[in-house]
Amino acid sequence: MAQELYRRSSLGTALTDTLDELITEGHIDPQTAMRVLAQFDCTISDVLHTKVKAKALVKGHLHVYRFCDDVWTMVVDKPTFKLEGGETIEADRVKMVACTSRAPPGAFIPPPAAAKALALDRRP
């Protein structure tokens, strides 16, 4: 089963709201909506893992970090994201979540099989 991490993204929230509306109007049943969400979880995780090759350097003050059940959660104050193309993005605070990727049973994954590490600058 894919992780439900991306359901809280803007795309996942829009999908959930649309499915709720379709259920309310009687166009689909709740079981169909759950199958759609399960497919969304698998597809978005796979696409991000296989198609997205962009990298960014993140610098900022690491405010909070946690590691529980193979999920890293980090809150960074005043982060600066430097993208590959040279573009820089700044924010007041961001929450980043990284989790271990899971492969289907029997699938070969060359190292590293886990989510890519995020480099954070902990200087004040």
Side-chain angles (χ1 to χ4, degrees), residues 47 66-67 73 108 120:
V47 167
R66 290 182 206 91
F67 181 71
T73 304
F108 172 74
L120 298 174

Side-chain angles (χ1 to χ4, degrees), residues 65-87:
Y65 67 95
R66 290 182 206 91
F67 181 71
C68 182
D69 296 331
D70 290 329
V71 177
W72 279 101
T73 304
M74 296 160 275
V75 176
V76 182
D77 289 332
K78 303 289 185 196
T80 301
F81 297 85
K82 189 174 230 178
L83 308 179
E84 286 180 326
E87 183 181 0

